[in-house]
Amino acid sequence: MTVVKEKNKTALESFTVTLAAKSSNEGFARAIAAAFAARLDPTVEELADIKTAVSEAVTNCVVHAYKNSRGKGDIRIKGSVYADGTVVFEIKDRGCGMEDVEKCLQPLYTGDPEGERSGMGFTVMESFCDKLKVRSSPGKGTTVVLTKKIGGGI
């Protein structure tokens, strides 16, 4: 068991994995998140929520952070579970970052107006999680933290 201390809470278990920023890894990220969260005995709906939110975060890294780099960047995913039944996923890239996080969090805003993006990525993440936190620095990358409380905990 790995014990990690985060802001007055100690994680019972955690993992970190680094994936190439390729769309082919989106499904793998979903599977990792689902398998990790399964230890909290989530409902099918809770599991689907986690998979969708993590998938959206990874997709944002692939599409926006590394803009057409063809997988030359990486995405770090860290997951932690807590005794109160909370699962936290941190998805981090070292891509282009965002100038204005608040603007990017607005529904229908897209940093790719020429593409086929809907501008709903962060809105989707937020709707499937209990808490969404986004930190970003231009030229240094972005970190998305997704928090979800699962049923009754451990």
Side-chain angles (χ1 to χ4, degrees):
M1 176 177 357
T2 304
V3 178
V4 178
K5 184 82 171 166
E6 292 208 20
K7 293 192 180 183
N8 302 323
K9 282 175 42 174
T10 301
L12 298 175
E13 293 278 346
S14 67
F15 78 91
T16 303
V17 65
T18 302
L19 307 172
K22 296 180 179 182
S23 60
S24 59
N25 281 329
E26 292 166 19
F28 185 51
R30 288 171 63 95
I32 291 168
F36 185 71
R39 68 194 66 229
L40 294 173
D41 196 24
T43 64
V44 171
E45 184 178 292
E46 289 169 332
L47 213 48
D49 290 352
I50 288 166
K51 289 166 52 176
T52 300
V54 169
S55 181
E56 280 294 326
V58 170
T59 297
N60 270 5
C61 295
V62 173
V63 172
H64 298 291
Y66 296 111
K67 296 181 184 170
N68 303 319
S69 71
R70 297 194 171 111
K72 295 205 177 185
D74 61 7
I75 301 167
R76 189 194 74 185
I77 302 171
K78 178 182 176 187
S80 300
V81 293
Y82 298 88
D84 68 354
T86 302
V87 63
V88 177
F89 292 99
E90 181 180 288
I91 297 89
K92 182 175 186 169
D93 66 64
R94 293 181 290 169
C96 64
M98 293 180 266
E99 291 280 336
D100 186 345
V101 172
E102 290 304 315
K103 183 177 183 180
C104 293
L105 289 172
Q106 296 302 309
L108 303 177
Y109 173 81
T110 179
D112 184 18
E114 306 300 317
E116 297 178 17
R117 311 317 304 177
S118 68
M120 295 299 290
F122 287 125
T123 302
V124 168
M125 287 179 236
E126 190 171 36
S127 69
F128 286 104
C129 290
D130 297 318
K131 188 175 180 184
L132 168 70
K133 197 184 302 184
V134 180
R135 297 184 303 268
S136 189
S137 296
K140 294 184 179 179
T142 300
T143 301
V144 173
V145 182
L146 307 167
T147 303
K148 178 114 176 132
K149 177 91 159 123
I150 304 297
I154 295 176

